Amino acid sequence: GSEMCIRDSPNTVFIVTLGENGSTAFSKGTAYHCAAAEVSEVTDTTGCGDSYQAGFIASYLADGNIETAMSKGSQTAAQTLSFIGGFRY
């Protein structure tokens, strides 16, 4: 199943976003957890998962640090929560 796929792919980072409960990532047999960034008000959740992934990928490609990338993903998703729709016009 999926556990075997993750275990057999040593260069894979598998991420589960959990909304207000943060996110969890698995890579090379290690689990990482990142709390959700705090927001004062949730306007709309549309696009938050995509925003998280964009922030994560940009950060991870820049320095290869999973924990830093998870934090950046959380911060990027939190910004998306502050307006209606997937992105600001």
Side-chain angles (χ1 to χ4, degrees), residues 6-86:
I6 294 167
R7 186 186 67 230
D8 294 339
S9 301
N11 296 319
T12 297
V13 178
F14 180 79
I15 301 168
V16 179
T17 56
L18 305 166
E20 64 187 28
N21 295 315
S23 59
T24 300
F26 303 92
S27 180
K28 300 179 183 174
T30 301
Y32 304 86
H33 182 74
C34 179
E38 291 198 27
V39 295
S40 57
E41 183 178 347
V42 175
T43 302
D44 186 7
T45 61
T46 302
C48 287
D50 294 331
S51 293
Y52 177 97
Q53 295 300 329
F56 178 92
I57 290 168
S59 179
Y60 188 70
L61 289 176
D63 68 15
N65 184 296
I66 292 173
E67 292 171 310
T68 300
M70 292 174 76
S71 178
K72 183 61 175 178
S74 181
Q75 293 165 16
T76 306
Q79 291 174 359
T80 302
L81 288 169
S82 68
F83 52 87
I84 296 173

